[in-house]
Amino acid sequence: MISPPAPPKVATSNNTNNRSLSDVLFEKGLISQEKKDQVRINAAREGKAEEQIIRERAVVDSKSLAIAKAELFHVPFVSLSETPVSPEAIALFSQSIATTYKLIPLVYNRDDNEITIAMANPLDLEAIEFLERKIQVKVIPKMADEKEIMEAIEEHYGGTLVAEVSQALEEELSIPKTKAIDIRQLGEVIREAPVAKVVKTILEFAVTSRASDIHIEPQEEKTRVRYRIDGIMHERLLLPRTIHGALSSRIKILSGMRIDEKRLPQDGRFSITVNEEEVDLRVSSVPSTYGEKIVMRLLRASGGVPDLPELGLRSLSLKHFEEAITKPNGIIIVCGPTGSGKTTTLYSALTRINTARVNIMTIEDPVEYEIAGVTQVQVNREAGLTFASALRSFLRQDPDIMMVGEIRDSETTELAIQASLTGHLVFSTLHTNQASGTIPRLLDLGAETFLLASALSLVVGQRIARRICPNCQQKFSPDEKVLEEINQTLGSLMPKDKEKINFTRGTGCDKCNNTGYYGRIGVYEVLPISEKIAKLILEQAPAGRIEKEAIEEGMVTMLQDGYLRVLEGITTIEEVVRVVRD
């Protein structure tokens, strides 16, 4: 075995443009002209390189310095916080070599026998030559922040997702592929193969990292695994394409899908238990250009449905919502885009009013959580069971409260209004951006103005914003422009007591996967149908006029609600703008 040489010396490079590191930092707007001059003077006075002066005096953070160095020396820069790591590449280098040379393997191209690595010093040709001799693979170096590299080494060589998958892949890829397998035995082979451990590790990581969805996507050269955590997609794994077929087949077997059918979309379900937590997985497969894409939605059986205040409803908004759900009849609509938490809000409302004295029935697509004592029906279009047909049948089942997963057509709209007017409480959702936009949308779906004005009780608009991680949150003072924007938006809602204003942000830690966010909170606007709003419905007033009247009556808009959360130190202004204004 070849022993590692001494740690690499700092490499130098001829700079034909006579640009220095301080020049690049100044051009990128990272330092001022004054700072630039100070760096040059101190470097000349002390006889040190500019980089050393910049590091010693912390002129810029380490990542900005690495980006500037990459540009100066014409080396590609890679941000490890945004780049997935291939377990196949990790397996080629030991942790001691990665630590010695401050590198992290990224991608291994088996066909070209090349490996792309991120290095703190990608200009060290001596180190690169040693690495190529060590593993007999061509090395393609890229520049990365040294701090991110050391964090990545600790993460990927410390028994986490990539490390565990790497171990299983070594066993999987070492199995001879020449042996023919009887198709009748294929299911058993897949159950026993090392790929089963790969699937197990992918699922366990999803549960422990609080992911809501897992995406396994075949691409031209690799299969990537992404997780949706707190509503944001994170790329975590790159797997060799050679195992994609076995990987998808293993998941299809677990979820009761046909492994010999790869031309049509399929759906399935299965359950797992991780650390005594039971999780249901709803699985969907879709044929794509390079193979079947698998998406798994994680539905946690434990933990229960959150209460309304836990979701983020409060003060007057919570009061209006609780009053509406305790009425014997009326329609309550929750609106927002896909993934904004509408169904969870409806489940919370049903849980609040679910007693032995009422008969509650739901029609959903699909049923995501089971609520004890509630009759839940799942849409089955092939059998003719739709929202409208189920709602019509419910009316013959002596219900008190009904929930329709979504109002999509004129028939469902008409039936929901009729049910409300005949003494039933009806819950549903609609895909509109603001609460005020729900009313014109229902009219577009064929609702009669005089019937809608009588039947509609309340409209809730909502989004979900990420919470600041409590483990790494820090207070800070925002720019004057930010304060002015918040002050103008909140108006009279702006706290008079300055001590109640608490701007915080997350710096990133292991608990939050270095995102600065952990968990989510709802941002709401609740529009009760008052006499004036009902009159505007009869007049078929536009959404803007309805919203204006609702605000005059005391409605807090989603943007205002979000900014109040910012002032309380629960979320950030960037997060509120992302979810409310986009």
Side-chain angles (χ1 to χ4, degrees):
M1 179 181 288
I2 302 171
S3 59
K9 298 177 182 178
V10 177
T12 59
S13 174
N14 293 327
N15 187 11
T16 55
N17 295 327
N18 294 321
R19 292 165 82 209
S20 68
L21 205 50
S22 59
D23 287 326
V24 177
L25 290 170
F26 174 71
E27 290 165 11
K28 297 181 81 65
L30 297 170
I31 61 173
S32 63
Q33 180 68 51
E34 184 183 357
K35 282 280 188 185
K36 174 184 165 183
D37 293 339
Q38 286 177 358
V39 168
R40 286 188 163 180
I41 291 169
N42 290 329
R45 181 184 299 156
E46 299 177 28
K48 295 179 180 178
E50 284 192 1
E51 181 179 347
Q52 189 175 352
I53 296 294
I54 292 167
R55 288 186 185 278
E56 288 176 355
R57 288 164 171 74
V59 176
V60 294
D61 61 81
S62 60
K63 189 169 185 177
S64 298
L65 180 59
I67 293 171
K69 284 175 63 180
E71 182 171 326
L72 182 65
F73 300 127
H74 307 290
V75 178
F77 176 82
V78 59
S79 174
L80 296 181
S81 61
E82 302 168 2
T83 305
V85 174
S86 165
E88 200 178 7
I90 286 287
L92 292 177
F93 288 119
S94 67
Q95 184 172 359
S96 61
I97 287 180
T99 304
T100 300
Y101 293 103
K102 297 176 183 175
L103 64 86
I104 193 77
L106 298 176
V107 180
Y108 173 48
N109 187 328
R110 186 177 290 270
D111 294 335
D112 297 332
N113 198 35
E114 292 178 345
I115 185 168
T116 302
I117 63 173
M119 299 179 70
N121 181 17
L123 301 176
D124 191 330
L125 300 180
E126 184 181 339
I128 293 170
E129 183 182 351
F130 163 75
L131 296 173
E132 290 182 335
R133 289 201 319 271
K134 174 73 175 173
I135 61 173
Q136 299 297 305
V137 174
K138 180 177 172 57
V139 171
I140 301 174
K142 291 188 176 183
M143 177 78 77
D145 174 25
E146 183 177 324
K147 182 184 175 185
E148 285 192 350
I149 288 175
M150 303 314 290
E151 289 174 351
I153 290 172
E154 185 178 347
E155 176 185 352
H156 296 309
Y157 286 98
T160 56
L161 176 66
V162 174
E164 291 184 24
V165 172
S166 300
Q167 185 180 357
L169 278 181
E170 283 186 48
E171 187 179 347
E172 170 67 21
L173 296 173
S174 65
I175 297 174
K177 303 300 178 186
T178 53
K179 181 182 175 183
I181 298 174
D182 189 330
I183 188 66
R184 292 169 294 182
Q185 299 175 334
L186 183 59
E188 288 302 319
V189 170
I190 292 170
R191 286 187 185 93
E192 296 170 2
V195 75
K197 185 177 179 182
V198 175
V199 173
K200 176 176 176 286
T201 306
I202 288 171
L203 295 176
E204 286 178 344
F205 181 81
V207 176
T208 55
S209 62
R210 303 174 295 104
S212 61
D213 300 86
I214 308 169
H215 292 243
I216 300 175
E217 304 163 312
Q219 297 178 321
E220 187 174 3
E221 296 178 353
K222 298 285 180 180
T223 288
R224 73 173 176 179
V225 181
R226 296 194 290 170
Y227 296 88
R228 189 177 294 280
I229 303 171
D230 291 335
I232 304 295
M233 294 287 274
H234 296 271
E235 200 168 332
R236 289 292 186 231
L237 271 179
L238 283 177
L239 301 172
R241 272 294 311 278
T242 52
I243 75 157
H244 182 79
L247 191 67
S248 60
S249 294
R250 170 65 178 165
I251 294 168
K252 289 168 76 174
I253 286 172
L254 288 171
S255 52
M257 294 152 65
R258 291 178 54 188
I259 63 173
D260 60 337
E261 178 56 80
K262 299 183 179 181
R263 299 168 300 171
L264 297 173
Q266 294 187 69
D267 295 304
R269 295 183 82 132
F270 68 97
S271 298
I272 59 172
T273 302
V274 178
N275 299 329
E276 299 183 357
E277 181 180 6
E278 186 180 346
V279 179
D280 292 327
L281 291 103
R282 195 175 74 226
V283 185
S284 170
S285 73
V286 174
S288 69
T289 307
Y290 299 111
E292 290 181 284
K293 174 177 176 177
I294 306 286
V295 175
M296 293 179 275
R297 167 66 57 89
L298 281 73
L299 306 169
R300 286 162 174 78
S302 57
V305 177
D307 197 7
L308 294 173
E310 291 177 49
L311 292 176
L313 281 162
R314 58 179 183 172
S315 57
L316 192 59
S317 296
L318 178 61
K319 179 177 178 289
H320 286 317
F321 194 85
E322 288 179 329
E323 286 176 354
I325 66 176
T326 52
K327 289 179 180 179
N329 61 286
I331 299 177
I332 296 170
I333 301 287
V334 180
C335 68
T338 301
S340 59
K342 301 186 296 295
T343 304
T344 302
T345 300
L346 290 181
Y347 278 145
S348 296
L350 292 179
T351 303
R352 171 70 70 91
I353 59 180
N354 181 22
T355 67
R357 297 181 179 182
V358 292
N359 176 22
I360 303 177
M361 303 187 72
T362 75
I363 174 68
E364 306 171 54
D365 184 21
V367 174
E368 295 194 2
Y369 294 98
E370 295 180 4
I371 306 175
V374 175
T375 303
Q376 295 173 269
V377 180
Q378 183 159 314
V379 166
N380 185 344
R381 291 180 184 81
E382 293 179 2
L385 182 59
T386 63
F387 286 125
S389 64
L391 192 54
R392 190 178 289 109
S393 300
F394 284 2
L395 292 170
R396 297 191 289 271
Q397 291 280 315
D398 187 30
D400 297 295
I401 300 162
M402 293 181 284
M403 185 188 101
V404 185
E406 184 182 346
I407 292 179
R408 297 177 179 172
D409 52 45
S410 57
E411 187 179 7
T412 310
T413 305
E414 183 183 348
L415 287 168
I417 291 173
Q418 286 179 2
S420 168
L421 294 174
T422 52
H424 304 90
L425 183 60
V426 182
F427 292 89
S428 193
T429 70
L430 203 62
H431 283 93
T432 55
N433 289 328
Q434 281 82 35
S436 57
T438 296
I439 295 166
R441 176 67 179 143
L442 289 171
L443 294 175
D444 289 342
L445 287 172
E448 295 287 349
T449 53
F450 63 95
L451 294 178
L452 184 63
S454 301
L456 195 61
S457 295
L458 187 88
V459 181
V460 179
Q462 72 174 79
R463 301 288 190 277
I464 304 182
R466 291 181 292 174
R467 286 178 177 266
I468 297 168
C469 175
N471 192 52
C472 62
Q473 66 178 2
Q474 287 184 354
K475 291 185 178 181
F476 75 101
S477 298
D479 295 334
E480 287 297 324
K481 288 183 179 179
V482 172
L483 281 171
E484 186 180 344
E485 157 73 12
I486 292 177
N487 197 20
Q488 286 181 353
T489 302
L490 291 179
S492 61
L493 296 173
M494 188 77 178
K496 301 295 185 287
D497 187 355
K498 297 293 183 183
E499 292 183 1
K500 291 185 178 180
I501 297 177
N502 182 27
F503 284 94
T504 60
R505 58 188 171 198
T507 57
C509 63
D510 292 339
K511 184 178 179 181
C512 63
N513 292 316
N514 292 308
T515 62
Y517 297 98
Y518 188 91
R520 293 192 284 176
I521 186 82
V523 178
Y524 294 90
E525 60 183 20
V526 176
L527 194 164
I529 308 302
S530 62
E531 288 185 12
K532 289 184 178 180
I533 298 292
K535 185 178 179 182
L536 291 175
I537 294 174
L538 291 171
E539 296 172 2
Q540 297 190 28
R545 192 173 161 200
I546 293 171
E547 182 177 57
K548 184 179 178 182
E549 176 59 38
I551 292 171
E552 288 177 3
E553 293 181 5
M555 183 184 82
V556 177
T557 67
M558 275 188 283
L559 187 59
Q560 289 175 328
D561 191 37
Y563 281 169
L564 288 171
R565 304 290 174 170
V566 172
L567 298 181
E568 293 167 9
I570 295 173
T571 188
T572 62
I573 190 167
E574 295 85 3
E575 188 65 8
V576 171
V577 170
R578 180 183 70 84
V579 300
V580 176
R581 286 189 169 175
D582 286 2

